[in-house]
Amino acid sequence: MSHQKILVVNTKYRVFGGEDANIVDELQFLKKYFIVDYLEYKNSDKITFSDIIGFLTLSNPTSNRKLKSKINSFNPDIVYVHNSWFKAGLGIYRLLKKENIKTIQKIHNYRFDCSRFLLSKNHLSYQTQCPACGIKKDNLGIYNKYFSESVLKSLFVNFYSKKYFKILKSFPLKIIVLSNFQKNYLENLGIKNTKISTLPNPIDIVPEHTSNYNSESTTVIFAGRLVETKGVEEILKIWNKIDTKNLTLEIVGPSSGKNNLLDKYGSKKINFTGELNNNEVKRKIKTSRAVITATKLLEGQPRVLLEASSYGVPSIYPNFGGMNEFFPKDYKLSFDQFNYDDLEKKILMLHDSKLLSDESKEITKHLTSNYTEEILYRRFENILKNEVNE
């Protein structure tokens, strides 16, 4: 175990989701190899006077004091920051710079790039829909109203993200991203490639789990929010159209529009389970024939698909962005994004048990060659040794 002390800093989202779950996993991973402490801010807390100051100045005095106190008590060698919007505030970066503490920033998504513009044309770059956040041109006017329910909140995040982007470019911190695609994305924004390293989130790989895959299972799982950008409606249309033989599609996830989808697409071949806890979702994935997504957005690291892979369960997914990096070369079940005829073909391939068994073995081989805990630890140590000390 290394004697290096790492302080992990994160602002928890109001609703617990994939990014927060990934941070829990990463904390468990880091604690096996380093001396780790954790400082968490919560966006679910009530808005305070200090928060208002933070909004106006982009530096939250209370958040800064909490970080300063933790630095004094823990004396970290490295501070590892995840989400800073909005409770942590941008003042923490100035504090870390002033204290001359080596800082790593992990970027999980692309929201900072979407929200840093005041004008919608600069956000969308003349596209009809943003591939990173899903906002459509038809829903925006001249102003880039990132939060549809609030102009004021949108203005705050515009200025916040604009300043955050400048910090990424100019401050002496190192940036960790989840894929080479994401690395290239940041480089194209003008961030120096020497500042950026690729390191995926930890994946729990248990050999006996992957060997128990059942290609004859009768369920296929879609797990996630039942929103337009996840492509769930396209999947439902195809599923009801084709002969799925004995296969049942299970739709797992919360949505206010669930009943509408149930009314439109409910059939004996489709089961809407509603929201389930994480362990129940994992159990369903583990015993499924495949998981499926038709997401229309860029993803940092597709958590549900990789949870499936950790059980040897194949995934059907659109091959764009960095998605292919998490699967074997020449993987047979990915489809061309927005090509729903191709998606239909891949769904029909789920009746080929030998193909599924072969893909399961290739997935397992890919995971154990690239994402074991030991491999990720060596890559993280390399970042600390060779880059943070620049």
Side-chain angles (χ1 to χ4, degrees):
M1 180 175 178
S2 170
H3 293 294
Q4 288 191 88
K5 299 169 78 173
I6 299 177
L7 174 62
V8 179
V9 178
N10 179 53
T11 304
K12 192 174 181 180
Y13 289 101
R14 288 180 182 273
V15 179
F16 187 88
E19 286 184 30
D20 287 321
N22 286 327
I23 291 164
V24 171
D25 292 344
E26 189 159 28
L27 278 168
Q28 293 174 348
F29 163 70
L30 291 173
K31 285 177 180 178
K32 294 179 182 179
Y33 300 98
F34 302 95
I35 302 167
V36 177
D37 203 350
Y38 180 52
L39 175 60
E40 181 176 88
Y41 302 98
K42 295 181 181 179
N43 281 338
S44 58
D45 294 343
K46 291 183 179 179
I47 298 296
T48 65
F49 180 69
S50 187
D51 294 331
I52 295 171
I53 294 173
F55 273 127
L56 296 175
T57 66
L58 302 182
S59 182
N60 188 315
T62 301
S63 299
N64 295 344
R65 283 195 295 272
K66 285 182 179 179
L67 177 57
K68 177 65 174 173
S69 175
K70 183 66 77 171
I71 288 170
N72 289 340
S73 62
F74 183 58
N75 191 27
D77 299 300
I78 296 155
V79 173
Y80 187 13
V81 184
H82 291 263
N83 179 34
S84 60
W85 164 263
F86 67 92
K87 200 76 172 185
L90 298 179
I92 65 170
Y93 298 102
R94 288 193 286 274
L95 174 60
L96 292 169
K97 184 179 179 182
K98 181 181 177 182
E99 296 287 329
N100 196 30
I101 297 176
K102 298 167 185 175
T103 304
I104 299 173
Q105 173 68 54
K106 188 163 194 177
I107 298 180
H108 293 263
N109 55 58
Y110 303 84
R111 293 190 196 103
F112 76 92
D113 189 33
C114 301
S115 58
R116 66 189 175 99
F117 300 107
L118 281 172
L119 299 179
S120 59
K121 68 176 183 180
N122 294 331
H123 172 188
L124 293 172
S125 299
Y126 302 101
Q127 300 174 99
T128 57
Q129 184 174 25
C130 175
C133 69
I135 286 180
K136 293 183 177 180
K137 182 180 179 181
D138 292 344
N139 297 332
L140 293 174
I142 295 173
Y143 170 54
N144 181 32
K145 188 180 176 184
Y146 188 74
F147 294 110
S148 60
E149 75 282 4
S150 172
V151 172
L152 185 60
K153 188 178 176 183
S154 296
L155 280 170
F156 280 134
V157 79
N158 293 150
F159 289 112
Y160 192 99
S161 297
K162 191 176 184 69
K163 180 64 176 177
Y164 174 66
F165 180 64
K166 289 181 179 178
I167 288 170
L168 292 179
K169 289 186 74 173
S170 62
F171 271 43
L173 52 80
K174 298 301 172 183
I175 300 168
I176 289 179
V177 294
L178 301 170
S179 67
N180 290 324
F181 175 86
Q182 199 175 22
K183 184 175 189 291
N184 292 333
Y185 187 99
L186 265 63
E187 288 175 13
N188 289 334
L189 295 179
I191 297 175
K192 291 181 180 178
N193 62 2
T194 54
K195 296 185 70 170
I196 312 169
S197 297
T198 302
L199 184 72
N201 293 320
I203 301 167
D204 186 20
I205 304 170
V206 181
E208 54 265 35
H209 288 172
T210 59
S211 62
N212 289 333
Y213 169 62
N214 177 16
S215 62
E216 299 292 336
S217 168
T218 58
T219 60
V220 174
I221 306 297
F222 171 95
R225 291 180 301 124
L226 309 190
V227 293
E228 186 269 338
T229 54
K230 293 295 185 181
V232 61
E233 197 157 359
E234 284 79 6
I235 294 171
L236 291 168
K237 285 177 184 176
I238 292 171
W239 201 268
N240 275 334
K241 169 188 167 187
I242 63 177
D243 180 8
T244 58
K245 298 181 181 178
N246 65 332
L247 278 177
T248 298
L249 175 65
E250 296 205 343
I251 304 294
V252 181
S255 171
S256 58
K258 177 186 142 185
N259 291 334
N260 183 43
L261 290 176
L262 179 59
D263 291 342
K264 288 173 71 175
Y265 301 107
S267 71
K268 293 181 179 180
K269 302 191 294 182
I270 299 171
N271 177 29
F272 288 84
T273 71
E275 186 174 8
L276 302 176
N277 68 45
N278 193 46
N279 287 333
E280 289 176 307
V281 176
K282 285 184 176 181
R283 181 184 60 79
K284 282 189 171 293
I285 290 172
K286 185 178 180 179
T287 57
S288 70
R289 187 178 297 195
V291 300
I292 185 168
T293 181
T295 181
K296 301 172 184 180
L297 304 183
L298 297 171
E299 296 198 25
Q301 181 171 322
R303 182 177 177 87
V304 171
L305 305 192
L306 288 171
E307 283 182 343
S309 293
S310 73
Y311 297 124
V313 175
S315 296
I316 293 177
Y317 67 88
N319 56 1
F320 75 108
M323 300 280 270
N324 278 340
E325 295 181 40
F326 298 100
F327 287 86
K329 188 178 180 182
D330 300 323
Y331 183 70
K332 293 182 175 60
L333 291 171
S334 63
F335 67 94
D336 294 332
Q337 188 187 27
F338 303 126
N339 183 340
Y340 299 113
D341 289 335
D342 193 23
L343 171 57
E344 181 179 326
K345 291 176 184 176
K346 299 306 160 67
I347 292 173
L348 290 171
M349 289 169 69
L350 294 178
H351 300 301
D352 188 335
S353 295
K354 183 179 184 307
L355 181 143
L356 293 178
S357 295
D358 289 344
E359 290 303 290
S360 174
K361 291 172 185 174
E362 290 300 314
I363 288 167
T364 301
K365 190 186 302 182
H366 181 72
L367 282 188
T368 54
S369 299
N370 295 281
Y371 302 108
T372 63
E373 194 172 272
E374 183 181 350
I375 290 170
L376 295 184
Y377 166 66
R378 286 202 305 265
R379 289 174 65 176
F380 189 72
E381 261 217 324
N382 189 55
I383 292 170
L384 301 187
K385 288 178 181 177
N386 298 331
E387 299 193 46
V388 174
N389 290 318
E390 280 187 355

